[in-house]
Amino acid sequence: VAHELRTPITSLQGFAAAALAGIGGFSEARVRRAFEIIERQARRMGGLVSDLLDVTRIERGQLELRCEWVDLAALTREVIERVSATSPRHRLELETTGEAECQADLARVEQILLNLLQNAVKFSPAGGVVTVRVGREQGGAVRVDVRDRGVGVLPADRARIFERFQRSSGPDQGAEPGLGLGLYIAREIAVRHGGALWLDESEVGRGSVFSFRLGGETA
Ligand SMILES: Nc1ncnc2c1ncn2[C@@H]1O[C@H](COP(=O)(O)OP(=O)(O)OP(=O)(O)O)[C@@H](O)[C@H]1O
Ligand SMILES: [Mg+2]
């Protein structure tokens, strides 16, 4: 954790100092480049801090939901567009049979989708297709499946990756950044909606399907 938090700070300090020193001397393009990196690292820091705050809220039982009618199909389309814009080597596809409305906290469900889609991209380092299916189950629950053709999850890690700060030890995984909080937070959000989030299937070297369900007759 310390390393994950320090790296962006070090980078922020370094590039801010360089930009300051360079103003006047550096070309405009070089100063601009430094500010772009500063902006990206600050955004990353902000994300890390909000994940850490969410963990504190979850531990205290203080994760509040503000539910409204949300169309999961439309929301998924929007999140796919955002992730696609920063993932030129991946093709993200949406499969849906129409609208999929449910009572949900829009920002929190967006957080689930963002983490699952970012994971699908991050753990498919060779690129490829990510397929997201949104549908309705018997009983009325809305279900989302995110399929990637990436590195997969070792059988021994299937349960552990849902715990706080836990990341898989498999090959090809060490280089990817992250705190190991995304799945822990995402599962908690789904459970608080009366739903669930799980690893549906995975094969090392072939890819994974992560799924979640919100609402339904038990919610
Ligand atoms: N689609 C996937 N394919 C293969 N492994 C995955 C996938 N999604 C998650 N994992 C494994 O589960 C671990 C935990 O995922 P999680 O989203 O909680 O953390 P992270 O992505 O590493 O970091 P963070 O989400 O906090 O930025 C990952 O580090 C990775 O080892
Ligand atoms: Mg993640």
Side-chain angles (χ1 to χ4, degrees), residues 7-85:
T7 306
I9 293 177
T10 308
S11 166
L12 271 175
Q13 285 172 336
F15 281 99
L20 272 176
I23 289 173
F26 282 7
S27 70
E28 196 180 318
R30 244 173 116 180
V31 174
R32 162 173 289 279
R33 175 86 190 115
F35 278 114
E36 279 166 5
I37 293 171
I38 289 168
E39 203 264 340
R40 196 175 65 230
Q41 295 292 357
R43 191 150 16 91
R44 185 161 151 226
M45 276 296 300
L48 295 175
V49 170
S50 22
D51 280 353
L52 288 169
L53 291 173
D54 280 346
V55 170
T56 310
R57 282 193 194 100
I58 291 167
E59 284 170 349
R60 294 188 180 153
Q62 290 173 344
L63 190 81
E64 304 288 344
L65 298 184
R66 300 161 66 114
C67 289
E68 58 187 311
W69 285 107
V70 174
D71 179 0
L72 255 285
L75 180 62
T76 303
R77 183 172 296 118
E78 212 180 289
V79 176
I80 284 179
E81 275 168 21
R82 271 169 61 192
V83 175
S84 297

Side-chain angles (χ1 to χ4, degrees), residues 115 119 122 182:
N115 182 57
N119 282 353
K122 184 158 68 167

